[in-house]
Amino acid sequence: MKFVVKIVLIAGLSYIAEQFLPWWSVVLCAFLVNLLIPTKGFNAFISGFLGVGILWLVFAWMIDSSTDSILTDKIAQLFELNQSGLVVAATAAIGGLSGGFGALTGSLLRTINQKEVAKPGYYK
């Protein structure tokens, strides 16, 4: 349940932040959510990847459909791709990776600042 809440929080905060701030504000949103809500590494990465990736996929698809794929067709020709849908998918992947690495950084920063609890039976 916490995983789904993190995805929704990252997507919502990123949507609001992108209205006023540059594109890289999504990285900060994913970073802050994973800094405040504790999870482990891969789980944090996937929550950031899905939160920002889905948001960027929806944005890119909406822009693509409202402009009749004019820009994406030209970008697809530039990169010698067969379909303009691959440009939309690449946009989502780039956003997802950015959000995922931001989320992973927030999770790892949280673990750095935590004290290590001694396990029973082990002495230092």
Side-chain angles (χ1 to χ4, degrees):
M1 185 66 181
K2 185 170 35 171
F3 181 72
V4 175
V5 170
K6 284 175 56 173
I7 292 173
V8 171
L9 272 174
I10 290 170
L13 288 174
S14 296
Y15 175 76
I16 294 168
E18 281 188 334
Q19 302 299 317
F20 308 105
L21 299 171
W23 70 269
W24 48 265
S25 62
V26 298
V27 176
L28 296 176
C29 294
F31 173 83
L32 289 174
V33 168
N34 279 285
L35 185 66
L36 298 175
I37 301 173
T39 50
K40 298 292 181 188
F42 187 70
N43 192 4
F45 179 83
I46 294 297
S47 68
F49 184 87
L50 290 176
V52 177
I54 291 171
L55 178 71
W56 279 27
L57 179 70
V58 170
F59 271 154
W61 178 74
M62 286 174 46
I63 291 169
D64 184 52
S65 63
S66 69
T67 60
D68 295 326
S69 303
I70 294 171
L71 182 62
T72 51
D73 285 339
K74 291 185 184 216
I75 298 295
Q77 288 175 0
L78 182 67
F79 287 110
E80 298 176 358
L81 299 172
N82 296 334
Q83 299 175 2
S84 62
L86 293 175
V87 176
V88 174
T91 302
I94 290 169
L97 286 172
S98 301
F101 285 124
L104 182 62
T105 303
S107 175
L108 292 175
L109 183 65
R110 182 180 179 87
T111 59
I112 286 174
N113 293 329
Q114 289 179 344
K115 275 191 165 183
E116 188 175 325
V117 178
K119 295 180 181 177
Y122 293 100
Y123 296 102
K124 286 188 175 184

